[in-house]
Amino acid sequence: MVKAIRVYRTGGPEVLKYEEAELAGPARGEIRIKHEAIGVNYIDTYFRSGLYPAPMPYTLGNEAAGVVTAVGKGVTGFKVGDRAAYVAGLRSYAEEANVPAEVAVKLPKGISSETAAAMMLKGMTAEYLLRRTYKVREGDTVLVHAAAGGVGLILCQWAKALGATVIGTAGSPEKAALAKKNGARHTILYRDEDFVKRVAEITKGKKCQVVYDGVGKATFPGSLDCLAPLGMFVNFGNASGPVDAFSLLMLSQRGSLFATRPTLNTFMAQPGGTASMARQLFRVVENGSVKIRVTQRFPLRDAAAAHRALEGRETTGSIVLVP
Ligand code: NDP
């Protein structure tokens, strides 16, 4: 038995139950990891609320890092005692979990379990957004919404390292200042200012090659209006709610725009996908071009408080649960 956050019905943070849960030995191809830190991601709130349906009951959470304590049959890449991190479907808000070895990665010496739990899901997301979805090039102007958030801070730093000029939106002056410290050349307080107008001013009418939008409903269709002809709208999240169906003519009217709604799962499922995204992420973190900020830690039992903070727009950077 392990202590875990279990979900029996969808709803607000109050549906998260901290209790004992069964955990069998690792099955063939799996490893068991004793968690030292657990990543909190906005997607966890979508499962909890029911926006993303899943069969219940389940243990919430998609990411954690720690030490391998058992190895299932057929696993060759890991041994007991290795430090590892993973991104995998519902299971991580727990003291320990079994995960398919193919989705786990060994941690380099310089990367702590806490840093790994704070960055694997968010950082691999930043990697595929910047390097595989729209390929950011030197000289591009990139708009990042919620620039001071977990994914946002990584996107700003990494896009800058790729040679882009980053414009970041943020919900408060403190968040805007943090985004500026982390790679955003310009910031916009999108709760007070018209971000479309400000992007036009900042770029002197040239607009952006790509918009990375994890906010969704509240920034649509404004995000489309921030794009130069042939630009790409990348809607990768729904922090304010999902973008509703829209007419494709909106893309032609603004200059042959591209629009995509990517997910990390698709990129992890490509041959060698997880390993290569993780490698690129470790490279930029180890060479210092991307710094991972853990801004709040909550005991595992207080996962509901972590969700309240995240959905209340009170957090910046990454937050983790400590078992
Ligand atoms: P964040 O730390 O970015 O938190 C969400 C932020 O969104 C808030 O801090 C807030 O910043 C902003 N926001 C804007 N409107 C709202 C609203 N109505 N309610 C709450 N927050 C709002 O979270 P993550 O870094 O975990 O995730 C960022 C986004 O990326 C999410 O949409 C998530 O689903 C998505 N994601 C998608 C993946 C994919 O592969 N498709 C993978 C990983 C994440 P501010 O106050 O500055 O506006």
Side-chain angles (χ1 to χ4, degrees):
M1 300 292 273
V2 292
K3 286 274 197 316
I5 297 288
R6 304 277 295 163
V7 175
Y8 293 86
R9 62 186 174 90
T10 57
E14 71 283 353
V15 304
L16 303 182
K17 300 280 174 245
Y18 181 66
E19 60 183 35
E20 297 272 333
E22 295 274 355
L23 186 66
R28 190 176 181 81
E30 288 185 338
I31 55 176
R32 178 185 283 205
I33 299 181
K34 185 173 180 348
H35 297 157
E36 293 180 327
I38 299 158
V40 178
N41 291 286
Y42 218 91
I43 191 173
D44 306 339
T45 72
Y46 305 150
F47 282 108
R48 193 213 67 220
S49 71
L51 178 66
Y52 291 180
M56 282 178 280
Y58 59 76
T59 298
L60 193 61
N62 295 277
E63 150 178 73
V67 178
V68 175
T69 54
V71 173
K73 285 207 174 72
V75 172
T76 51
F78 290 90
K79 58 180 188 332
V80 170
D82 283 345
R83 291 189 326 113
Y86 67 87
V87 172
L90 298 169
R91 73 191 71 202
S92 73
Y93 283 16
E95 292 171 318
E96 296 188 53
N98 297 321
V99 289
E102 71 214 26
V103 300
V105 288
K106 272 195 201 163
L107 291 177
K109 274 209 181 68
I111 302 214
S112 70
S113 293
E114 180 176 87
T115 300
M119 78 173 192
M120 291 308 297
L121 194 152
K122 299 172 186 74
M124 291 199 294
T125 298
E127 200 275 349
Y128 86 71
L129 291 174
L130 297 168
R131 293 169 42 94
R132 300 170 200 240
T133 305
Y134 172 85
K135 293 180 183 153
V136 171
R137 287 175 310 188
E138 181 126 32
D140 282 345
T141 303
V142 168
L143 178 62
V144 175
H145 284 306
V151 177
L153 282 185
I154 302 175
L155 279 176
C156 290
Q157 297 174 79
W158 203 333
K160 183 185 177 197
L162 291 169
T165 299
V166 179
I167 306 174
T169 61
S172 71
E174 297 73 26
K175 288 184 176 190
L178 186 65
K180 262 206 171 140
K181 258 199 210 141
N182 286 273
R185 168 99 55 95
H186 310 275
T187 52
I188 301 172
L189 296 175
Y190 61 171
R191 294 175 87 162
D192 309 322
E193 302 177 283
D194 176 343
F195 73 86
V196 175
K197 207 166 129 214
R198 289 280 294 118
V199 165
E201 283 165 12
I202 291 165
T203 60
K204 302 192 171 53
K206 291 207 170 75
K207 304 189 186 178
C208 304
Q209 278 64 54
V210 60
V211 176
Y212 291 114
D213 188 341
V215 171
K217 199 177 185 73
T219 42
F220 191 85
S223 290
L224 298 183
D225 294 320
C226 296
L227 285 164
L230 302 173
M232 189 181 290
F233 171 57
V234 183
N235 172 226
F236 66 98
N238 335 290
S240 67
V243 172
D244 289 327
F246 63 92
S247 166
L248 287 178
L249 286 178
M250 292 176 79
L251 304 180
S252 66
Q253 287 153 359
R254 289 162 177 78
S256 309
L257 302 182
F258 297 83
T260 182
R261 179 49 174 98
T263 74
L264 176 60
N265 276 347
T266 314
F267 288 84
M268 286 180 67
Q270 302 306 304
T274 303
S276 96
M277 286 186 285
R279 206 167 39 245
Q280 295 300 332
L281 175 62
F282 291 149
R283 187 179 59 79
V284 292
V285 170
E286 288 181 318
N287 75 18
S289 32
V290 172
K291 294 195 172 50
I292 303 300
R293 287 177 190 278
V294 179
T295 53
Q296 282 183 75
R297 298 165 184 85
F298 293 85
L300 173 60
R301 64 167 67 235
D302 294 339
H307 278 216
R308 285 192 189 96
L310 192 59
E311 290 172 293
R313 305 172 79 158
E314 290 161 17
T315 66
T316 55
S318 299
I319 60 177
V320 297
L321 302 175
V322 184

